[in-house]
Amino acid sequence: MIGERLNNAINEQIKNELESYYIYLSMAAWLHSKSLDGMGHWMRCQAHEEMIHAMKLFNHIIDRGGDIVLQDLKQLKTQWSSPLEVFQDAYEHEKFITGKINDLTTIAREERDYASEPILAWFSDEQTEEEAVSSKITAELEMVGEDKSGLLMLDRELGGRAYPAGSPLDPVAGAE
Ligand code: FEO
C-alpha cells in the first residue's frame, strides 16, 4: 500500500498532467485559429499523451490501494503572439514537469517506496524525450524566423505526427 505522503504528491502530479493536457489543448486551439493546422494537430497529439500520463498515475494509486483526490485546474493562457512563443512555453512547461517528476522520485526514495520506482523511471525517460522534442521544435522556429515558407514547411512536417489509435482528439475518429 502506498504511504500518505507519496499518495498526496502523486495526486498533485495527476493535477499537473491534466493541466498539461489542458495547456496543450489550448495551444492547439490557438494554432488552428491561425491556420497552422499541422502544429494544431501536433498539439492535439501531445494533449492526448498528457491524458495518458494522468491516467497512468491514477491507475498506480488505485493499484497501490491509495486515495485519489482530483484537484482544481488553474486558469490557462489562451493567446500567444507567435508559434515560436507557443513552443517556447511548451518547452518551459516540460522543464517544470521534469522538476516535479524529480521531486516525486525523491519522495519515493525517502519513503522507501520501491514499488513506485518503475513508473517514476518511465516518467523520467518520457520527460527526457519531451524536453528534447519541444526544445528542437523551438530551435527550428527560431531558425525559420519571419520566413513564411519555412513556417509552412514546418507546419506540414509537424502535421505528420500520428495519433494514438482511437484518440478522441483526432477529428476523424471523433466524427465516426
Ligand atoms: Fe506529462 Fe509532458 O509531461
Side-chain angles (χ1 to χ4, degrees):
M1 185 166 179
I2 195 165
E4 188 179 0
R5 182 175 171 222
L6 185 59
N7 188 149
N8 290 343
I10 292 180
N11 274 332
E12 176 86 20
Q13 189 59 19
I14 291 172
K15 181 202 73 163
N16 291 334
E17 300 292 346
L18 289 173
E19 276 183 354
S20 302
Y21 165 76
Y22 225 37
I23 287 166
Y24 291 132
L25 200 55
S26 187
M27 289 175 172
W30 186 85
L31 289 161
H32 282 302
S33 80
K34 302 298 173 193
S35 298
L36 291 165
D37 290 333
M39 293 184 188
H41 163 89
W42 192 95
M43 280 299 175
R44 286 170 182 245
C45 294
Q46 192 61 30
H48 181 103
E49 288 208 356
E50 300 302 347
M51 197 197 313
I52 291 172
H53 295 173
M55 293 313 296
K56 272 182 181 286
L57 295 169
F58 188 100
N59 293 336
H60 184 71
I61 296 276
I62 290 175
D63 289 346
R64 301 285 312 284
D67 294 317
I68 293 168
V69 179
L70 294 179
Q71 302 172 11
D72 289 348
L73 304 182
K74 71 171 182 259
Q75 181 67 34
L76 299 168
K77 184 169 171 175
T78 58
Q79 297 294 318
W80 287 266
S81 62
S82 65
L84 174 59
E85 189 191 343
V86 170
F87 279 90
Q88 282 171 333
D89 279 3
Y91 180 39
E92 289 305 314
H93 184 69
E94 288 306 331
K95 288 193 281 187
F96 165 76
I97 294 292
T98 299
K100 294 293 180 188
I101 298 298
N102 290 342
D103 290 347
L104 278 179
T105 303
T106 300
I107 293 169
R109 287 182 183 168
E110 286 174 358
E111 299 294 314
R112 298 167 63 84
D113 191 305
Y114 302 118
S116 291
E117 278 190 6
I119 190 172
L120 292 175
W122 183 90
F123 270 92
S124 189
D125 286 347
E126 184 74 2
Q127 284 313 117
T128 299
E129 183 194 324
E130 295 206 337
E131 278 194 33
V133 171
S134 53
S135 164
K136 180 169 175 282
I137 298 170
T138 300
E140 287 172 344
L141 281 165
E142 281 167 351
M143 275 188 267
V144 162
E146 297 300 312
D147 176 6
K148 295 271 187 279
S149 59
L151 184 65
L152 282 176
M153 273 179 59
L154 188 55
D155 187 60
R156 295 230 166 97
E157 183 189 323
L158 294 178
R161 183 174 181 179
Y163 277 113
S167 174
L169 282 83
D170 179 353
V172 177
E176 287 172 352

